[in-house]
Amino acid sequence: MKLLRYGPAGAEKPGLLDADGGIRDLSLELHDLDAAALAPVDRLTYQAFRWERETEIEGFRYPAELLPLVPNGGLLAVMPQLGAGGGPQPFATVQDYDRWLHRLAAYVGWLDRSIVNLRRGLSRGYVLPRVVVARVVPSLATMTEGAAAQSPFLRPVQSFPATVPAAEQARLRREYTAFIVERMQPAYRRLNVFLRDEYLPRARSTIAWSELPQGKAWYTHRVRRATTLALDP
């Protein structure tokens, strides 16, 4: 199943796509439960859960996927940290290594989808500030330069735990190196070239979220989601 938005532009609703291609409308699911029949503790849990889900559903009005990059944080920062082996991503077994390589394949797909979404954002007026893009471009360049051995994503196969057999170590080292050279670095390079040559010249000079389409309402929503308060920024 896959969570998605569906419906006419500007009036999209959250839905769940099943294996048969059917879409279940999630916008009314939370109202089917009789909160009054719950015990006080359960009612409080329900109210908190409902507020969180309704806030997330409200967020579907705003195309956050068109602004996938952030200067500090986000996948561009988190994935190299996880891939270097110093974070919560485990590298203790052969299965850990194989699973992480599958995750990296999905990450490469995300890098390429980011180009598509950023280009869509340009056409619709959802554009990142120039100061943000100018910071991202040099960091991406560092991921495309030098030999694969210098990539943080190769560190887990440069030193293995004793739980990984020697024969598997050789295989994993070959697969990780090939993946970085053949897929990871080219994907970073594609995104970097796109940002540098196509996106940065068209990035906006303003920095306020309110300068985006639906910007004021979107920022108010972000404040409410972060603080749980109905503040007017």
Side-chain angles (χ1 to χ4, degrees), residues 202-222:
R202 299 172 62 185
R204 58 189 174 99
S205 58
T206 58
I207 60 172
W209 205 271
S210 59
E211 297 296 327
L212 295 169
Q214 308 182 82
K216 292 183 178 180
W218 193 353
Y219 188 66
T220 299
H221 166 76
R222 288 169 63 90

Side-chain angles (χ1 to χ4, degrees), residues 127-149:
V127 185
L128 291 166
R130 185 172 295 117
V131 293
V132 171
V133 184
R135 292 179 181 177
V136 172
V137 168
S139 65
L140 286 176
T142 63
M143 302 300 291
T144 66
E145 299 168 351

Side-chain angles (χ1 to χ4, degrees), residues 15-16 34 36-37 51 62 73 79 87 89 102 112 126 128-129 145 148 162 164 168 187 199 203 205 212 214 216 223:
L16 195 65
D34 182 8
W51 182 90
Y62 311 110
M79 291 301 284
Q89 171 61 36
H102 284 296
D112 285 330
Y126 292 94
L128 291 166
E145 299 168 351
V164 178
E168 292 288 2
Y199 197 92
S205 58
L212 295 169
Q214 308 182 82
K216 292 183 178 180
V223 170

Side-chain angles (χ1 to χ4, degrees), residues 50-218:
R50 176 172 172 171
W51 182 90
E52 291 174 353
R53 300 290 75 76
E54 289 180 338
T55 303
E56 292 299 317
I57 289 172
E58 180 185 342
F60 276 90
R61 302 175 186 175
Y62 311 110
E65 70 277 5
L66 303 184
L67 302 169
L69 308 182
V70 293
N72 299 305
L75 285 182
L76 286 180
V78 170
M79 291 301 284
Q81 294 173 359
L82 294 176
Q89 171 61 36
F91 290 99
T93 67
V94 173
Q95 290 75 18
D96 289 339
Y97 279 87
D98 286 334
R99 288 167 182 163
W100 177 245
L101 201 56
H102 284 296
R103 291 185 69 185
L104 288 183
Y107 176 55
V108 165
W110 178 85
L111 291 171
D112 285 330
R113 285 194 303 275
S114 293
I115 297 175
V116 175
N117 284 328
L118 288 165
R119 190 173 280 135
R120 288 174 56 212
L122 285 172
S123 68
R124 294 176 55 184
Y126 292 94
V127 185
L128 291 166
R130 185 172 295 117
V131 293
V132 171
V133 184
R135 292 179 181 177
V136 172
V137 168
S139 65
L140 286 176
T142 63
M143 302 300 291
T144 66
E145 299 168 351
Q150 298 174 340
S151 171
F153 292 101
L154 202 67
R155 290 177 192 164
V157 297
Q158 292 172 335
S159 177
F160 287 93
T163 50
V164 178
E168 292 288 2
Q169 292 181 22
R171 174 185 69 83
L172 290 168
R173 192 175 293 111
R174 288 194 305 271
E175 291 183 0
Y176 270 61
T177 301
F179 184 88
I180 291 168
V181 172
E182 298 170 9
R183 298 188 61 184
M184 181 73 72
Q185 288 181 330
Y188 271 118
R189 191 172 297 112
R190 287 190 295 271
L191 180 57
N192 187 49
V193 170
F194 165 75
L195 289 175
R196 183 193 65 203
D197 298 346
E198 183 177 338
Y199 197 92
L200 183 58
R202 299 172 62 185
R204 58 189 174 99
S205 58
T206 58
I207 60 172
W209 205 271
S210 59
E211 297 296 327
L212 295 169
Q214 308 182 82
K216 292 183 178 180
W218 193 353

